[in-house]
Amino acid sequence: MSQQLPVVPTSHGLSQVAAGEQEEEGKEEEEEQGRRGLSFKCLRSLRHKLRESNWRRQQDPGLEPSSKAGGEDSHDKDQALLPMQEPEEKKIALELLETEQAYVNRLHLLDQIFYIELMKEAQNGKTVPEEVVKMIFSNISSIYQFHSRFFLPELQKRMEDWSCNPRIGDVIQKLAPFLKMYGEYVRNFDKAMELITVWSEKSPPFQELIADIQKRKVCSNLTLQHHMLEPVQRIPRYELLLKDYVQKLPPQSPDRDDAEKALEMIFMVAKHSNAAIAEMERLQNLWVVYQRLGLEDDIVDPSNELIKEGPIQKISTRSNSTSEKYLFLFNNMLLYCVPRVIQVGSEFQVHLRIDVEGMKVRELKDTQFPHTFLVSGKQRTLELQARSEEEMNAWIKAFQDAIDRKEKRSETFKAAVPGLETDTPALKMEELGRRAPQWVRDNLVSMCMRCGEPFTPLARRRHHCRACGYVVCARCSDYKAELQYDGNRPSRVCQECYIFLTGHTVLEEREGKHKGVLEKGAAEVSGRSLLCSSLQLLDKNGKGGTRGWFVIPQDDPLVLYIYAAPQDVRAHTSIPLLGYQVRDLSQGDSRHQFQLAQSGQVHTFVADTEELKRRWMSIMTRCAAGTPREGGDGDSCQQAE
């Protein structure tokens, strides 16, 4: 900046321009906002609205700004006016000057009237503390001094010399870096609106003084909040005007290079301002979430970013039912919450916090509970059910995005820190005791998954191993081991996990016992089967029967194994298939029945669907004939859904 210019006095003509623009804007603004101030929603949509160019006055390109439409319709007069027309780029430069003059008047109102008078009353101790007034107006004084003493005088001087030096790009380029001071004002804007509202309610003298100033002619029937919005809007308006100016410049204009560089600088300042608005919006939303959670100290952190929130159904492994929960997914943690019945102080109660670091998510194929997915973290593993497939996919994507971002930041940190060993094999997160396991549901097993003894309501109850998640009996889980994911607290584990985690040896009475014919785990066998599904086996009268899990293994295709539940470690019976005949019994019966018959022995089955019945009959027919893999159906596992 070549020199510091004195404050340029505002002429009567400039006052008329400012008043005219204020009246025009006043008509467009809502006059009923009152002292409550602007809503945050207004500010949030500001970035989109200011990108449009419809805020500028429309003007016939063939008329001078001061021309008037009259009754004269003379072609000769129109021809005479043509040489007097200004270049398009000069019209835009003049518009920039006019709006800058009106803007400086607005800044003068904020700084020299509102701020000065409110501060004077605050110093007298009559309205509000001085610090509150300073927080409301932020750095408005610096903004006003910059525009009134430097930016506006530079523009005025350049427009006076336009005939010999038709350019403004160098002026804007020189002064654009100072516009970054707007970031502080924009970040403080929402807090300022809140302070005006709060102190208007707490301090009647404060409210009365603001109302008195707003009644003055200089305010043009607009509230303090509307005037304070003007600096937030100013940078995007510079960008729009300068874009238009560059487009109208002739290709060989001496101002083209400077104007393009100035536009790029203004774009960066606007981006900086928009980033401040976005950051303010993020913090505002974050604070609302914290209030809904009760402002717990270990949760409130301004560096957090809310990614997704919403209701979800939690599947219980004990009762095989669902209950409503609520999730808040942040960039670094998942909050597993329960809605409060009586919402006093907070809307939700945080039941569990799971770190995103080390988290895994995947879809579950569950016919009983559709649209389910698994979230496995260091602290806990959850089976969750969404309301639809679209909602489930949205949750999985949100979780995966958060996990990927966390992993990327961790990799960047490792690469940036000297001496950090990156070639050491990472510990597998599925390693026993380091991650909360997925619990096997109680209804999927009818016997202990370790010893194979059947569960009974009284004598042999179900327990879960906290290390592997298996359902085991009390005898097989009568051990304690420290689990890292649970803060190294001693927890109930099964015998196998106890040996692995502690290294201790356990004398086993059944050691060396070989597995019997039926001691094949249902889950293991189902994973390598020709076909497996749930069926009903009727009694001899064909009226009642038991439902179970039926499997024909690939490595033992001539035998049908029958389990009480899909996760049982031992089958309760088996049927050799060789030599049996397969019969269809659906004629005249609505149920999907079929039979295995041989030498007076008959087994009647009921399938859930006709298609499932046909698949079982096809597989059983080939197995009974001793050719289970004929036709290719046995090449891979076929688990019926």
Side-chain angles (χ1 to χ4, degrees), residues 245-502:
Y245 177 78
V246 172
Q247 291 175 355
K248 302 298 184 183
L249 281 176
Q252 304 303 322
S253 172
D255 198 21
R256 175 162 290 278
D257 289 342
D258 285 335
E260 290 178 349
K261 291 178 182 178
L263 177 59
E264 183 177 351
M265 296 177 70
I266 291 292
F267 172 77
M268 295 306 297
V269 173
K271 186 177 180 181
H272 186 266
S273 180
N274 287 337
I277 294 176
E279 176 67 8
M280 182 176 60
E281 180 181 342
R282 184 188 71 82
L283 292 174
Q284 173 75 10
N285 292 336
L286 200 60
W287 181 251
V288 171
V289 170
Y290 289 155
Q291 288 179 318
R292 295 166 68 193
L293 294 172
L295 300 175
E296 298 188 23
D297 292 339
D298 60 337
I299 294 175
V300 176
D301 185 345
S303 65
N304 290 342
E305 177 186 351
L306 179 64
I307 296 177
K308 185 175 175 61
E309 65 168 288
I312 203 75
Q313 292 293 318
K314 165 67 170 61
I315 301 175
S316 171
T317 57
R318 291 291 192 188
S319 60
N320 201 41
S321 60
T322 62
S323 57
E324 183 179 350
K325 309 295 179 185
Y326 202 92
L327 302 182
F328 290 93
L329 176 61
F330 294 87
N331 58 308
N332 61 340
M333 64 180 174
L334 169 68
L335 297 183
Y336 172 74
C337 306
V338 177
R340 290 184 182 273
V341 179
I342 302 177
Q343 298 181 3
V344 178
S346 63
E347 186 178 349
F348 299 97
Q349 179 181 359
V350 180
H351 267 203
L352 190 64
R353 169 177 171 169
I354 303 176
D355 294 338
V356 170
E357 185 176 4
M359 181 181 286
K360 294 185 181 297
V361 61
R362 63 182 175 89
E363 181 182 355
L364 294 176
K365 298 295 184 182
D366 194 319
T367 56
Q368 183 178 3
F369 298 101
H371 320 310
T372 60
F373 59 100
L374 185 76
V375 176
S376 177
K378 293 179 180 179
Q379 294 82 9
R380 183 78 176 270
T381 295
L382 305 172
E383 288 186 60
L384 305 172
Q385 182 184 32
R387 291 170 292 189
S388 65
E389 183 176 358
E390 292 76 16
E391 184 179 271
M392 177 193 69
N393 291 334
W395 272 113
I396 292 177
K397 184 180 184 303
F399 274 105
Q400 195 59 55
D401 289 346
I403 293 169
D404 292 344
R405 289 168 57 184
K406 188 69 174 178
E407 290 178 350
K408 186 176 180 180
R409 282 194 295 267
S410 299
E411 292 172 1
T412 303
F413 173 75
K414 291 178 181 179
V417 178
L420 189 65
E421 297 181 3
T422 56
D423 55 347
T424 303
L427 290 174
K428 295 181 178 179
M429 299 313 301
E430 294 81 7
E431 188 174 351
L432 217 56
R434 295 182 180 273
R435 174 190 294 276
Q438 178 185 3
W439 283 16
V440 177
R441 296 182 205 161
D442 287 1
N443 70 314
L444 296 181
V445 295
S446 63
M447 60 186 67
C448 175
M449 298 181 71
R450 292 304 186 189
C451 69
E453 294 297 325
F455 291 118
T456 59
L458 298 177
R460 193 176 297 274
R461 298 177 59 191
R462 292 171 169 85
H463 301 275
H464 277 91
C465 171
R466 267 55 175 180
C468 65
Y470 275 20
V471 182
V472 292
C473 63
R475 176 170 169 266
C476 290
S477 61
D478 191 22
Y479 304 92
K480 296 280 187 179
E482 295 180 353
L483 302 179
Q484 183 175 332
Y485 78 85
D486 198 24
N488 290 321
R489 290 183 298 180
S491 303
R492 177 191 287 267
V493 295
C494 65
Q495 175 183 298
E496 283 78 357
C497 293
Y498 173 78
I499 295 173
F500 178 85
L501 292 169
T502 64

Side-chain angles (χ1 to χ4, degrees), residues 4 158 199 235 408 420 427 429 551 556 576:
Q4 291 189 351
R158 184 52 54 89
W199 282 97
I235 300 299
K408 186 176 180 180
L420 189 65
L427 290 174
M429 299 313 301
V551 183
D556 195 6

